[in-house]
Amino acid sequence: MKIAETPSPPYYAVIFTSIRNDNPDGYAETAARMVELATEQDGFLGVETAREQLGITVSYWRDEESIRKWKHHTEHTLAREKGRTAWYTSFKTRVARVERDYGMDAG
Amino acid sequence: MKIAETPSPPYYAVIFTSIRNDNPDGYAETAARMVELATEQDGFLGVETAREQLGITVSYWRDEESIRKWKHHTEHTLAREKGRTAWYTSFKTRVARVERDYGMDAG
């Protein structure tokens, strides 16, 4: 997992913050599959994820339209429903427009 | 660490993604102090953080002005400089306007 190499702003970020229950059944496989599937979508720019007590996954998108399409992707919709009923105690999704960014690269 | 209880959008998110080097000196203390200090700032709405290979800290703010003031806070400025020179291999900061959110609460 690396820092996402996103283009110059503006672009969009979907910040997904979650707390898991203790049911492992199928979670890791589905989480990995959703990352794999997201990277194949038109408008996908990158993803960053980390989990301690809290899980944070930020995915980056070209525009609102690509976020909307990904939200309505059938396999993603089924995975979200499973998340709601089987894997998460609570979660929050925030859709945000990235207006500026700056940073430091290795080396 | 809980999911931040932010107000209705719009508000702002500062997404800070980083990769650490292996120098522990003072890092944990400064990271904790920065969270403590951030919560005291006018316009601060909440913070969420997790670290595996990648560290992700998302802080939430009322408006651009409160982000600007926090960026120029003296102790925060010194901590960022220390991060740049002593603790991080690479990092990226993205400032984003949260346009909508939704989620599920425990219970």
Side-chain angles (χ1 to χ4, degrees), chain B residues 30 34 74-84 87-88:
Chain B
T30 300
M34 285 306 110
T74 305
E75 194 174 342
H76 183 208
T77 300
L78 292 169
R80 282 205 313 282
E81 184 54 27
K82 180 88 183 190
R84 223 175 246 279
W87 295 317
Y88 297 119

Side-chain angles (χ1 to χ4, degrees), chain B residues 15-79:
Chain B
I15 306 163
F16 176 73
T17 312
S18 64
I19 296 178
R20 289 263 290 115
N21 57 26
D22 54 6
N23 171 22
D25 295 349
Y27 172 74
E29 295 80 355
T30 300
R33 171 65 181 150
M34 285 306 110
V35 168
E36 178 193 17
L37 199 59
T39 64
E40 295 169 3
Q41 304 306 306
D42 182 50
F44 174 85
L45 300 177
V47 64
E48 297 167 338
T49 189
R51 177 174 295 280
E52 290 180 287
Q53 306 103 304
L54 209 64
I56 306 175
T57 297
V58 188
S59 59
Y60 299 101
W61 300 86
R62 187 182 56 216
D63 50 26
E64 288 264 25
E65 176 64 10
S66 54
I67 292 172
R68 198 190 61 78
K69 282 187 183 164
W70 172 232
K71 184 175 183 182
H72 293 287
H73 186 291
T74 305
E75 194 174 342
H76 183 208
T77 300
L78 292 169

Side-chain angles (χ1 to χ4, degrees), chain A residues 4 6 11 17 48 50-52 54 60 64 88 90-91 93-97 99-104 106, chain B residues 4 6 11 17 48 50-52 54 60 64 88-91 93-97 99-104 106:
Chain A
T6 41
Y11 54 88
T17 312
E48 298 167 337
R51 178 174 295 280
E52 290 181 288
L54 209 65
Y60 299 101
E64 288 264 25
Y88 296 119
S90 54
F91 67 81
T93 301
R94 294 173 173 101
V95 179
R97 182 178 188 270
E99 305 198 334
R100 59 183 187 279
D101 60 16
Y102 50 91
M104 181 181 77
Chain B
T6 40
Y11 53 89
T17 312
E48 297 167 338
R51 177 174 295 280
E52 290 180 287
L54 209 64
Y60 299 101
E64 288 264 25
Y88 297 119
T89 302
S90 55
F91 67 80
T93 301
R94 295 172 172 101
V95 178
R97 183 178 187 271
E99 305 198 334
R100 59 183 187 278
D101 61 15
Y102 49 92
M104 180 182 77

Side-chain angles (χ1 to χ4, degrees), chain A residues 9 15 28 40 45 47 59 61 64 67-68 71 77 82 107:
Chain A
I15 307 162
E40 296 169 2
L45 300 177
V47 64
S59 60
W61 301 86
E64 288 264 25
I67 292 172
R68 198 189 63 77
K71 184 175 182 180
T77 300
K82 179 89 183 189

